[in-house]
Amino acid sequence: MRTTEPPSLPRLAAASLAGTAIEFYDFFIYGTAAALVLGPLFFPTFSPLAGTLAAFATFGVGFVARPLGSVLFGHIGDRRGRRPVLVGSLLLTGLATVAVGCVPTYASIGIAAPVLLLVLRFLQGLGLGGEWGGAVLLTAEHAPAERRGLWASFPQIGPPVGFLLANGIMLMLSATLSDAQFAAWGWRVPFWAAGVLAAVGLALRTSLAESPDFLRVREHARVPLVEVVRDHWRLVLLTAGALAVGYAVFYAVTTWSLSYGVERLGVSRTVMLACIMAAVVVKGALTPVVAVLGDRYGRRPLCLLGCAVSALWMFPMIALLATGQPLLMFLGFLVAMIAFITMFAVIAAYLPELYEPRVRCTGAAVGYNLGGVLGGALTPIVATTVAQGDGTPWGVAAYLTGIAVLSLGCFALLPETRPVREAVPATG
């Protein structure tokens, strides 16, 4: 008989973290490539600005696909279990990422090149849309109620690890290859590496035990999405709006600012990547620390705090970015990443606690990934458009501040879950 007792939690958390890191590596490597090289290679007939916007548009398609992936894999997770979601989503995302590295450029096959890029980016997003729900739920539903925030935070460390891995490889290639070599073949190497990483992730995940919460459900939802839309539509919209600021801030820092710094400020790729990566390292290290605070003081207060700091920091962050000075840019990114993780470290426990187990995989994943559409898909495109002209791009700061205020209002309308939900198991 398979055990679901607490001693298995370290192994479960490690497997969830590793798989999530690999899937987000796949997703992030595309964003970095879009900021640095995809425009001229796949949209050469466009102006430099239009080419960057077109590359970011294909980047945004991945976010549009994520809610669809959460519906598809959420249905599987609520009907068949969380474990199949982990395997299927990782396999789909890994294969699509390797294929991106094999797509010929526009110079070789013409319009078919960006079309193929678009299709593969859609498949990447489809797989990632299922990944978060499966990894977080499997960990959160095994965890004891009083420590759920801590254990559920380990999959949340996966995205910064994936980001650092993706950008570390890009940084190494940028530092060792000439511009011509990087454009000719160097940018493809991180995509090919995704195949090896996916194989490692699959080996870790295939032997995991199923979630005890799923096994306890006596009657599974026939069509989980129908129940979510019918009974939890308001909750889905509020969680999507609440999470939008996290995506907006993260991709403003990691994707748009990279493009802006290299193309508009003339800062080298290596310096920009180093500044961003250093801030993400701190973010990843603080994730379990903030999650413990969430277990102690509640999820909602930390989310409100993170939103408030984001709203207050966007104008200073843009001012520091505009200096082009590495230390000042790093400071701007660092505070933004700390505000981000103050919210997202506890989200892995918060969202599952908001939904009943029979529709939890669909509801939590759809809300989470709709937030990605609102905050992540549009931010690089809007910011690139707004930042035209000379001078400091204050319009970008205003846009990000507006999203932060919207998310603050949504979090204010959501309930706290920790005291209510954790009091019941404690008396059993």
Side-chain angles (χ1 to χ4, degrees):
M1 179 181 295
R2 288 176 305 196
T3 180
T4 57
E5 292 300 312
S8 66
L9 279 170
R11 178 174 172 274
L12 176 63
S16 294
L17 188 160
T20 305
I22 292 164
E23 289 219 35
F24 274 89
Y25 164 89
D26 295 348
F27 202 73
F28 288 143
I29 201 68
Y30 190 101
T32 304
L36 296 177
V37 74
L38 294 186
L41 291 179
F42 288 88
F43 305 94
T45 60
F46 292 16
S47 68
L49 171 61
T52 299
L53 287 171
F56 279 149
T58 63
F59 173 76
V61 166
F63 285 98
V64 175
R66 282 174 66 168
L68 299 178
S70 66
V71 171
L72 171 63
F73 287 103
H75 183 91
I76 297 171
D78 286 324
R79 292 284 298 168
R80 304 296 179 187
R82 319 312 192 201
R83 289 179 66 245
V85 172
L86 295 184
V87 175
S89 61
L90 182 58
L91 188 61
L92 176 59
T93 307
L95 290 174
T97 304
V98 172
V100 169
C102 299
V103 175
T105 62
Y106 186 95
S108 299
I109 60 173
I111 193 64
V115 171
L116 285 173
L117 208 60
L118 197 69
V119 171
L120 293 171
R121 180 59 175 174
F122 181 87
L123 293 176
Q124 269 192 325
L126 205 66
L128 193 62
E131 160 64 25
W132 186 87
V136 165
L137 262 62
L138 195 62
T139 308
E141 291 178 344
H142 275 87
E146 69 277 5
R147 305 286 282 174
R148 184 177 297 125
L150 172 61
W151 287 110
S153 74
F154 281 90
Q156 293 294 78
I157 302 174
V161 172
F163 177 85
L164 292 171
L165 187 60
N167 285 274
I169 293 176
M170 281 291 194
L171 181 61
M172 179 187 69
L173 292 169
S174 293
T176 57
L177 299 178
S178 66
D179 288 345
Q181 290 173 322
F182 184 79
W185 57 268
W187 68 273
R188 298 181 184 273
V189 173
F191 290 93
W192 296 335
V196 178
L197 295 175
V200 173
L202 288 171
L204 289 170
R205 287 185 161 185
T206 50
S207 61
L208 295 178
E210 184 53 81
S211 156
D213 282 14
F214 174 81
L215 295 175
R216 281 195 291 265
V217 174
R218 296 186 177 276
E219 183 181 352
H220 298 287
R222 291 179 61 85
V223 185
L225 180 63
V226 172
E227 290 196 24
V228 168
V229 172
R230 183 187 64 213
D231 301 330
H232 304 288
W233 62 270
R234 182 176 180 272
L235 181 58
V236 170
L237 293 179
L238 284 176
T239 53
L243 297 179
V245 63
Y247 283 101
V249 169
F250 186 84
Y251 286 101
V253 170
T254 62
T255 301
W256 169 76
S257 67
L258 176 60
S259 175
Y260 182 83
V262 172
E263 295 180 6
R264 298 292 302 279
L265 300 179
V267 181
S268 73
R269 285 195 305 260
T270 303
V271 170
M272 288 303 303
L273 285 169
C275 290
I276 295 168
M277 288 171 62
V280 174
V281 167
V282 177
K283 163 188 168 292
L286 288 177
T287 300
V289 177
V290 177
V292 170
L293 295 177
D295 280 330
R296 183 175 179 85
Y297 299 109
R299 329 302 191 199
R300 186 169 169 268
L302 291 178
C303 291
L304 292 170
L305 175 62
C307 275
V309 173
S310 296
L312 294 172
W313 186 248
M314 291 302 98
F315 277 91
M317 184 189 79
I318 294 300
L320 292 170
L321 170 63
T323 66
Q325 299 299 312
L327 288 179
L328 295 179
M329 291 191 297
F330 165 70
L331 175 61
F333 299 154
L334 176 63
V335 176
M337 289 292 97
I338 292 174
F340 166 86
I341 206 56
T342 302
M343 297 174 279
F344 272 56
V346 299
I347 285 300
Y350 195 15
L351 259 64
E353 290 170 342
L354 289 168
Y355 292 89
E356 58 182 308
R358 61 184 276 118
V359 296
R360 183 174 287 161
C361 196
T362 300
V366 169
Y368 184 85
N369 288 294
L370 280 177
V373 175
L374 295 174
L378 297 177
T379 293
I381 298 172
V382 172
T384 300
T385 303
V386 170
Q388 294 312 297
D390 298 327
T392 304
W394 298 120
V396 177
Y399 170 75
L400 295 173
T401 301
I403 294 180
V405 171
L406 168 67
S407 293
L408 185 66
C410 290
F411 272 124
L413 295 173
L414 288 171
E416 176 57 76
T417 58
R418 181 192 61 87
V420 175
R421 301 281 176 148
E422 296 187 0
V424 176
T427 61

